[in-house]
Amino acid sequence: QVQLVESGGGLAQAGGSLRLSCAISGRTFNSYAMAWFRQAPGKEHEFVASIRWSSGSTTYIDSVRGRFTISRDNAKNTVYLQMNSLRSEDTGVYYCAARVGVINRDIRMNDYWGQGTQVIVSS
């Protein structure tokens, strides 16, 4: 069974940076796609970014493009989300997810997801 564990969340000032990590344990496949979702207070889960494990191809939503970078480290079996130029609207719980093939924008339609790590951005 695959398990995803997020870490790296915390409190940041607007304009600051945080790096989130998603540690992957269990059996994985090169055909997996990985993604980050977030849930702002009182709102539904929102897709943020994805990466294909084998090719490294990435996708971002417009609001984070140029500020956030999703990446993977094969040796550490870890996916990262580097968040720069943080804004108050980036506040929320961030979740890592995985799916064979293409990520589904509904987090619950993916094969695996973690318990989340909280990010708070103050103005």
Side-chain angles (χ1 to χ4, degrees):
Q1 191 68 254
V2 173
Q3 186 177 40
L4 309 177
V5 180
E6 303 93 336
S7 63
L11 178 65
Q13 188 80 9
S17 298
L18 286 172
R19 188 185 70 165
L20 307 183
S21 298
C22 174
I24 307 163
S25 62
R27 187 179 181 186
T28 58
F29 304 91
N30 287 335
S31 60
Y32 276 19
M34 307 293 300
W36 287 96
F37 292 76
R38 66 188 179 188
Q39 185 177 33
K43 295 202 170 186
E44 297 296 316
H45 293 91
E46 177 189 29
F47 170 81
V48 177
S50 66
I51 184 169
R52 294 184 178 181
W53 190 264
S54 58
S55 69
S57 178
T58 59
T59 300
Y60 301 91
I61 56 172
D62 289 344
S63 63
V64 308
R65 188 175 293 108
R67 301 189 298 120
F68 291 9
T69 302
I70 186 171
S71 62
R72 74 206 193 287
D73 187 322
N74 291 344
K76 296 180 178 179
N77 214 28
T78 300
V79 175
Y80 302 97
L81 185 67
Q82 178 66 48
M83 305 187 295
N84 298 325
S85 302
L86 284 165
R87 306 167 181 169
S88 60
E89 55 262 40
D90 295 319
T91 293
V93 179
Y94 283 69
Y95 300 88
C96 182
R99 188 181 185 224
V100 175
V102 179
I103 286 287
N104 195 298
R105 297 299 180 97
D106 182 347
I107 189 171
R108 293 164 294 184
M109 293 295 101
N110 296 292
D111 295 323
Y112 306 97
W113 59 88
Q115 296 302 303
T117 184
Q118 187 174 37
V119 171
I120 300 175
V121 183
S122 61
S123 300

